Amino acid sequence: MAAAMLIVLILVANSDVTWSETASERLAAAKKALEYVNRVENSQCSGGTEEVLQLVFNTSVWRVYTEPAIRTANILSSIIQIDGNLNSLEENIFYTFVRNNVHGEGLIFGAAIALEPGLYSLYDRFCPYSFRKNGSVSAFDIAVNYNYLSNGTEWYNAVRVKDFGNATVKQDSITYNGSTTPLQFDQPTAKYENGHWTYPYYDCGGGDIWMVTYSAPIFDLDKNKTPIFKGVATIDIELTNVDINQCDLSDESDGGALDVFRGTHHCQATTKCVPLIGQGFRRGAYQCHCMDGYYYPVVGSPIRAYSGYDIERYVDKYFGLVTIPFRCLPCPRGCDTCVDDTPCLFPMELGIRILVVLLAVIMIIGCCAVSFLVFKYRTQMVIKTASPIFLHLMCLGAILMCCQLFVAFPEPTDISCIIEIWPQHLGFSIMFGALIVKTWRISIIFSVGSVKRVSLPDIALLKRLSPLVTLFIIVLSVWSIVDPPTVHILTTTSSLKFFTCAVTYWHYAMYGGEALLLLFGVYLCFTVRKAPAHFNESKHITWAVYNAIILGSFIIILTQFMAVSNGPDVLYLLLLAQHQVLITISMVLIFAPKFWALYKGSGSEGEAGVTTITGRVKQHLPTTVSKLRSDVRSTAVQTDDISLEMIATRSDSIKTSKYSSKVSPLLEVPATSFKPDESNHSES
């Protein structure tokens, strides 16, 4: 509205208008408008082209600034109702109105009053206008050099052609001083909805700023008491200090008047747009910050983001010719955020892991060798009485447990975490289940101080081992389906991350169940403490079980405490240590005495005596008792029924030491008094 011609950038102010173009077309028009803004600001303007760009924008955020214009219009409308025109007002009153509307803080840059011809008889056209510049307010009549009555003047004619049939008309009265009769008159009142927002335009030659104008109508009444247009009171909103926000509109962001420009930024896929505050009505007032998971590649830059101004200039010059750069680089693996390519993951030592795998291979080879020796010497008393088939199962369970080390070798995934629990717990159930079941058979046959007549062949024991293994399979299946183990990220004290399988209540439940199984094994060892020497390995089994419970629990607890501070390689070594406790030490405690017995006495009787299951040598018994013991040896415990009868003899015929943990040999029993049932025996 300055004296210079106005370069008009038309944006449709009424947000209720329905448009047929698609969202992409609106976005393209907004980008075109921004290009126009940039072109106008960088040109030497001396006149207007009235280019029209139809875009929808929101003016509701500026509603508070329209009150001065509406109040001024209503005051002038009230004077018209009383006097019929505005001739009663001095010219300086009009300038006082417009200057007062500009004063104060806010976005109001200018204000005007434009009247219809004849309403103020002093001038044919009268449009006092004030504006703020360089901290002061200036006012003049723009009608001297500018015909605001022309059809191209939107801020005036857009209101002039409106239908005000529904405008508010109120009944007012004034009782003057000295009069007793009030003056009654009708007062038309303008509201916000009766006014009109113009399209943003560049005040070229005046303030050289971008602005938008709101016009409130001045009313008179016709003979039908219908409001008729008599002029406007306006305010100009300075857009120079209103930022153009080109960033995407999100649910959390506050809406603005110029949200029409949202989404017109050129930030690339690895970056996010962040608007700059206080940049004014300029294109490129944003920065492209790196998204989480990416970092700014320019080392030493004080601002680690791409400038929107640089990007817009690059787009103007090279758009469509080359790929737009200004991209961030991906962070190293495992980093949620980063500032450079410094690794966030704890580096795994391949040498340590290969060493663990080699040890696991050696353990498996050792288990296979043990199983081979058991098979080779299965007819020897020291092996036969220990139930070879269950010794083989122990080796199988140990091999399965060793397989966990192969699964845990690479970096864990959700799939590997599920697979890892199977060899660990299933192997445990087979290895220690076989050990406990065969100990249970000895407990049933040789109760303390007596020998029972029972029939427990290997097939019967396998039927009792199967439910235990099946129970473990069911629990592992439910665990894998209902709440499968997943990868968990831990952070060390050095702020490096590593992946590990999360420990949940399922793990602790399995550990608790396995501990109860081992404690039951301790109880069985106690019950067979006085079984015959050939069948009694309770001491070594007890050591193996205690070792598994105490050292195994210690390593599990140590793993939880050392996980955060030492990284994945230490956890892998602790897993190896756990297998050494459960497998290597247990296998040595169970099998070393047997192989030592084979080495020393070949598992049979010699001149010096009999080599027992634990590797000790028992002296020869008297001939009769030796015959009885020979019958006992000929009974293959692991393959057929054991049927023994305790011979009722005199109390002095049985000599049992209170310090012995075995049932003492039966002495001085006539050969004819004990005849084993050959039908219940099987020679090896």
Side-chain angles (χ1 to χ4, degrees):
M1 297 194 351
M5 288 293 291
L6 302 178
I7 300 178
V8 181
L9 172 63
I10 299 183
L11 298 103
V12 178
N14 186 357
S15 60
D16 295 330
V17 175
T18 303
W19 290 84
S20 60
E21 65 264 33
T22 63
S24 60
E25 290 173 339
R26 294 184 186 180
L27 188 61
K31 290 183 177 179
K32 186 177 180 182
L34 287 174
E35 294 171 359
Y36 180 71
V37 169
N38 185 66
R39 186 170 67 252
V40 168
E41 288 187 346
N42 291 284
S43 64
Q44 298 295 327
C45 59
S46 59
T49 63
E50 294 190 351
E51 287 190 51
V52 177
L53 296 173
Q54 294 186 348
L55 293 173
V56 178
F57 73 100
N58 178 23
T59 58
S60 61
V61 295
W62 292 331
R63 181 168 181 169
V64 64
Y65 300 111
T66 63
E67 290 300 323
I70 296 174
R71 286 197 300 267
T72 300
N74 287 332
I75 290 174
L76 296 178
S77 296
S78 178
I79 295 174
I80 292 173
Q81 298 310 305
I82 296 174
D83 298 337
N85 53 48
L86 298 177
N87 294 332
S88 60
L89 298 180
E90 296 290 337
E91 185 176 356
N92 65 326
I93 298 298
F94 293 98
Y95 289 108
T96 300
F97 276 132
V98 295
R99 287 188 297 106
N100 184 69
N101 290 343
V102 173
H103 281 297
E105 298 296 329
L107 297 179
I108 298 179
F109 171 78
I113 298 174
L115 304 177
E116 283 283 273
L119 189 60
Y120 190 62
S121 59
L122 189 60
Y123 303 106
D124 291 335
R125 296 192 309 268
F126 186 49
C127 184
Y129 175 70
S130 66
F131 64 97
R132 181 170 51 205
K133 191 170 185 178
N134 298 326
S136 62
V137 175
S138 302
F140 63 98
D141 184 5
I142 65 172
V144 174
N145 298 310
Y146 177 59
N147 183 14
Y148 62 86
L149 297 175
S150 66
N151 293 332
T153 307
E154 182 204 357
W155 57 268
Y156 189 83
N157 284 285
V159 184
R160 187 180 193 182
V161 299
K162 270 192 170 186
D163 182 10
F164 299 110
N166 295 326
T168 302
V169 179
K170 297 181 179 180
Q171 296 291 326
D172 288 357
S173 64
I174 301 175
T175 302
Y176 290 102
N177 196 9
S179 174
T180 59
T181 303
L183 174 63
Q184 302 286 342
F185 61 95
D186 296 316
Q187 172 65 51
T189 304
K191 294 183 178 180
Y192 175 79
E193 293 77 11
N194 301 129
H196 174 76
W197 283 101
T198 66
Y199 316 118
Y201 55 88
Y202 190 71
D203 184 14
C204 183
D208 290 330
I209 62 172
W210 288 94
M211 64 174 60
V212 64
T213 298
Y214 175 80
S215 303
I218 299 173
F219 289 133
D220 193 3
L221 294 175
D222 61 13
K223 59 182 180 180
N224 296 322
K225 306 297 183 181
T226 300
I228 57 176
F229 178 81
K230 286 296 181 179
V232 295
T234 70
I235 54 96
D236 299 330
I237 298 294
E238 180 182 0
L239 298 183
T240 302
N241 296 323
V242 177
D243 298 317
I244 293 180
N245 191 344
Q246 296 178 243
C247 296
D248 298 319
L249 181 62
S250 62
D251 295 335
E252 295 80 13
S253 61
D254 297 329
L258 298 178
D259 281 343
V260 64
F261 296 115
R262 292 296 189 106
T264 59
H265 64 86
H266 287 93
C267 290
Q268 299 305 295
T270 58
T271 60
K272 58 183 177 181
C273 180
V274 177
L276 296 178
I277 307 301
Q279 300 299 304
F281 202 72
R282 299 179 60 193
R283 185 178 67 151
Y286 61 87
Q287 289 180 339
C288 295
H289 290 249
C290 295
M291 299 176 65
D292 291 344
Y294 296 88
Y295 68 93
Y296 188 68
V298 181
V299 179
S301 175
I303 301 177
R304 305 189 65 82
Y306 294 109
S307 169
Y309 300 119
D310 295 338
I311 296 175
E312 295 294 337
R313 284 193 294 268
Y314 187 91
V315 170
D316 290 341
K317 186 175 182 180
Y318 298 109
F319 184 74
L321 300 177
V322 295
T323 302
I324 301 177
F326 307 103
R327 299 174 185 269
C328 294
L329 300 180
C331 291
R333 186 167 175 266
C335 298
D336 296 327
T337 59
C338 63
V339 295
D340 52 31
D341 58 354
T342 302
C344 295
L345 288 182
F346 197 102
M348 293 193 300
E349 292 292 340
L350 188 60
I352 294 178
R353 293 184 170 264
I354 292 177
L355 177 62
V356 171
V357 169
L358 290 178
L359 291 176
V361 172
I362 294 174
M363 292 169 64
I364 292 176
I365 294 174
C367 291
C368 293
V370 168
S371 182
F372 172 76
L373 292 175
V374 169
F375 177 78
K376 180 178 180 180
Y377 296 104
R378 64 188 181 280
T379 60
Q380 299 297 321
M381 177 65 66
V382 69
I383 300 297
K384 181 188 297 184
T385 55
S387 303
I389 189 172
F390 291 99
L391 297 180
H392 288 304
L393 287 175
M394 288 181 61
C395 294
L396 174 62
I399 292 174
L400 282 177
M401 294 178 69
C402 289
C403 291
Q404 182 190 7
L405 294 171
F406 298 111
V407 180
F409 175 79
E411 184 179 277
T413 63
D414 289 341
I415 299 299
S416 66
C417 287
I418 296 175
I419 296 175
E420 187 176 336
I421 63 175
W422 283 85
Q424 176 187 5
H425 298 289
L426 188 59
F428 181 94
S429 67
I430 295 175
M431 176 179 175
F432 286 93
L435 181 64
I436 290 172
V437 164
K438 78 186 193 69
T439 306
W440 172 78
R441 175 164 63 180
I442 303 301
S443 174
I444 294 297
I445 296 174
F446 299 101
S447 61
V448 178
S450 65
V451 178
K452 297 181 180 180
R453 183 181 182 86
V454 294
S455 177
L456 286 173
D458 288 342
I459 188 66
L461 286 190
L462 290 175
K463 291 180 179 179
R464 285 164 172 78
L465 177 62
S466 297
L468 175 63
V469 177
T470 302
L471 176 62
F472 270 74
I473 293 176
I474 293 174
V475 173
L476 290 173
S477 299
V478 173
W479 182 4
S480 301
I481 296 173
V482 176
D483 187 18
T486 57
V487 172
H488 181 61
I489 299 178
L490 293 181
T491 304
T492 65
T493 52
S494 58
S495 299
L496 293 176
K497 299 178 181 179
F498 65 93
F499 299 98
T500 183
C501 295
V503 178
T504 63
Y505 64 91
W506 283 93
H507 290 82
Y508 297 117
M510 291 297 293
Y511 292 147
E514 291 167 353
L516 291 177
L517 182 63
L518 294 176
L519 290 175
F520 179 65
V522 173
Y523 165 74
L524 292 178
C525 290
F526 175 78
T527 62
V528 301
R529 67 191 184 280
K530 292 186 179 181
H534 286 294
F535 305 98
N536 191 354
E537 51 183 337
S538 61
K539 180 173 65 175
H540 300 91
I541 295 176
T542 303
W543 288 350
V545 171
Y546 283 158
N547 165 76
I549 293 177
I550 297 175
L551 291 183
S553 300
F554 173 75
I555 292 177
I556 291 174
I557 296 173
L558 186 64
T559 300
Q560 302 306 313
F561 280 100
M562 297 186 66
V564 175
S565 58
N566 293 277
D569 295 325
V570 173
L571 294 186
Y572 198 44
L573 289 174
L574 288 174
L575 182 62
L576 174 65
Q578 183 181 1
H579 283 70
Q580 295 298 319
V581 169
L582 295 177
I583 299 174
T584 305
I585 297 179
S586 298
M587 294 287 284
V588 168
L589 288 173
I590 298 300
F591 288 97
K594 296 175 176 56
F595 295 148
W596 178 254
L598 290 173
Y599 174 75
K600 298 294 290 184
S602 298
S604 61
E605 296 179 10
E607 295 297 328
V610 179
T611 305
T612 68
I613 194 173
T614 58
R616 293 180 299 169
V617 178
K618 303 293 288 186
Q619 296 299 321
H620 265 303
L621 302 178
T623 303
T624 304
V625 178
S626 178
K627 175 66 170 62
L628 174 62
R629 301 293 287 169
S630 177
D631 290 332
V632 173
R633 289 197 310 274
S634 68
T635 303
V637 177
Q638 76 280 7
T639 58
D640 292 294
D641 299 344
I642 293 179
S643 301
L644 298 176
E645 292 183 356
M646 180 66 72
I647 306 300
T649 61
R650 295 186 303 272
S651 59
D652 59 355
S653 65
I654 302 177
K655 299 179 180 180
T656 305
S657 172
K658 66 179 180 178
Y659 301 106
S660 175
S661 62
K662 309 293 182 294
V663 176
S664 297
L666 301 178
L667 303 177
E668 299 178 1
V669 181
T672 58
S673 65
F674 179 79
K675 296 181 180 180
D677 186 358
E678 297 296 336
S679 63
N680 292 331
H681 294 175
S682 174
E683 297 297 336
S684 299

